[in-house]
Amino acid sequence: MKNKNMNNVNQLLLLLLFFVVTVVSQGHAPFSIVKEKVTHLHFFYQERLTGDNPTTVLVAEAKDTRVNPSNLLPFGAAYVLDAPLTEGQDPNSMVVGKAQGLAVSADQDTTMVVFMVDYGFTSGEFSGSSFSVMSRNPLLETDRELAIVGGRGKFRMARGFATLHTNYMNTTSGFFTVEYHVVLFHYE
């Protein structure tokens, strides 16, 4: 009789363990069943700091520093941006989305900002989807890389990187064109 009770207890414990494992694994089911995707994107970021319709605007500066044409990014300056993403290098080429977010000058020795930006697409296959960057961006380096930390829509749970190449920079007019090559790992 004692052996039979032990078998029942063991069966009950195994059933309970199976139930717990099933419940825990179901918490991750939507993303474990769906295969991870890799998406490559190519576009151009168009930025204007001056003129009638700037895409990047100073919203805060440190008490003892001043933004001026010879020093557009003093330490502590914070900018809000709403810049077009285009299909081609020409600023008049088709707009495929917008980069919206913040750039904060965060280096006392070099021209570097911390970028907190959402890259949202308004046309094409990825319309309504976006990916987010939270990364340092050394603006005067011609080639650099940004970390992708999230996404929404077709780029849900995105991670990856963007390699940037400055194609055009005119600090006098405050106009910049930056080419992006993006690799996203995500679930749709």
Side-chain angles (χ1 to χ4, degrees), residues 4 13 21 33 37 40 46 54 65-66 81 97 101 103 111-112 119 130 134 138-139 149 153-154 169 172 176 178 185:
K4 188 176 180 183
L13 285 174
V21 168
I33 294 171
K37 295 182 176 194
H40 297 267
Q46 309 285 346
T65 63
R66 291 289 170 250
L81 57 103
T111 303
M112 188 280 296
Y119 295 80
S130 71
M134 170 71 177
L139 297 173
V149 297
K154 291 189 176 187
M169 178 189 306
T172 305
F176 306 88
V178 181
F185 301 93

Side-chain angles (χ1 to χ4, degrees), residues 36 40 52 133 146 148:
E36 185 175 54
H40 297 267
D52 292 337
V133 165
L146 301 179
I148 296 168

Side-chain angles (χ1 to χ4, degrees), residues 139-169:
L139 297 173
L140 296 181
E141 292 180 17
T142 303
D143 295 300
R144 53 206 185 273
E145 183 177 305
L146 301 179
I148 296 168
V149 297
R152 62 181 181 79
K154 291 189 176 187
F155 301 136
R156 187 170 292 126
M157 294 183 66
R159 67 190 193 295
F161 61 93
T163 57
L164 283 60
H165 177 79
T166 302
N167 284 350
Y168 179 79
M169 178 189 306

Side-chain angles (χ1 to χ4, degrees), residues 167-188:
N167 284 350
Y168 179 79
M169 178 189 306
N170 185 324
T171 54
T172 305
S173 69
F175 188 78
F176 306 88
T177 299
V178 181
E179 184 174 13
Y180 276 68
H181 288 277
V182 178
V183 178
L184 292 170
F185 301 93
H186 61 96
Y187 299 95
E188 187 174 335

